[in-house]
Amino acid sequence: MMSGLCLGLQRSGELRKREELLLEFKRLLGRFRTEIHYTLRPLGELISGNQDFQLCSLAVSEQCFFHSPKEALERAGKKLFRDSSDAELCMGFVKGLGESDSQSQIEHLNLYTDLLEAHLTQAGEAREKKSRLYICFGLFGALTLCLLLI
């Protein structure tokens, strides 16, 4: 019974972790927008200055970071985002990062913040609907197995 409960709790935790990761990504986009607007730092400095975010921290730890910070950020996004739609969102964001002037970059960040809102809404709804479901499936699956073994 405990193993079924633990399995259900683990799956439920993955849903919560996805939502928290997307919220952190949204905060990172806000920080990037502010720093691009006020400091105009190069992309490498922008990423390394925000290592308190998981995405930037992973990017800095990539071997290719000093040669290509954009490629390092892309690799970090692929590692970090498990959901394919979230990973695609991150890859689209990274492709447009550092490609134009500061005003266009701010517009790019605003666009991806808006796109991220839809992902956050979907992740929140999935967590609300499926969390209890996963826990119940784990418990009932374990209970069924116990009854079959008896």
Side-chain angles (χ1 to χ4, degrees):
M1 290 286 288
M2 289 302 291
S3 63
L5 176 64
C6 289
L7 187 63
L9 287 172
Q10 182 218 5
R11 292 287 297 169
S12 175
E14 289 172 5
L15 293 173
R16 188 174 47 258
K17 185 178 178 182
R18 176 184 176 221
E19 187 178 20
E20 290 170 357
L21 186 61
L22 289 173
L23 282 169
E24 182 180 283
F25 188 47
K26 182 180 178 183
R27 287 191 305 271
L28 176 65
L29 293 179
R31 174 112 30 113
F32 275 6
R33 182 177 31 252
T34 303
E35 289 190 18
I36 287 172
H37 184 71
Y38 290 109
T39 65
L40 298 174
R41 296 191 308 180
L43 185 59
E45 287 181 24
L46 190 66
I47 295 169
S48 63
N50 287 292
Q51 288 188 48
D52 50 330
F53 294 97
Q54 293 179 49
L55 184 64
C56 292
S57 178
L58 274 175
V60 170
S61 67
E62 290 287 331
Q63 290 179 348
C64 65
F65 177 73
F66 293 106
H67 300 292
S68 176
K70 192 172 182 176
E71 182 182 341
L73 196 62
E74 188 174 313
R75 287 183 183 180
K78 287 178 183 176
K79 287 179 185 176
L80 194 59
F81 292 102
R82 305 239 183 240
D83 188 79
S84 61
S85 64
D86 297 342
E88 286 178 23
L89 179 74
C90 183
M91 294 308 106
F93 162 70
V94 171
K95 284 182 183 176
L97 195 59
E99 295 291 322
S100 56
D101 64 344
S102 63
Q103 185 59 37
S104 297
Q105 288 297 295
I106 291 171
E107 290 173 10
H108 177 74
L109 288 162
N110 288 336
L111 170 68
Y112 276 91
T113 301
D114 292 342
L115 292 173
L116 184 60
E117 282 298 325
H119 285 257
L120 271 168
T121 303
Q122 188 238 359
E125 289 173 356
R127 181 190 45 80
E128 286 177 12
K129 290 178 183 177
K130 294 180 181 178
S131 279
R132 283 183 257 136
L133 181 69
Y134 285 142
I135 294 169
C136 290
F137 274 159
L139 281 174
F140 291 134
L143 181 63
T144 303
L145 186 61
C146 288
L147 291 174
L148 287 174
L149 290 175
I150 293 177

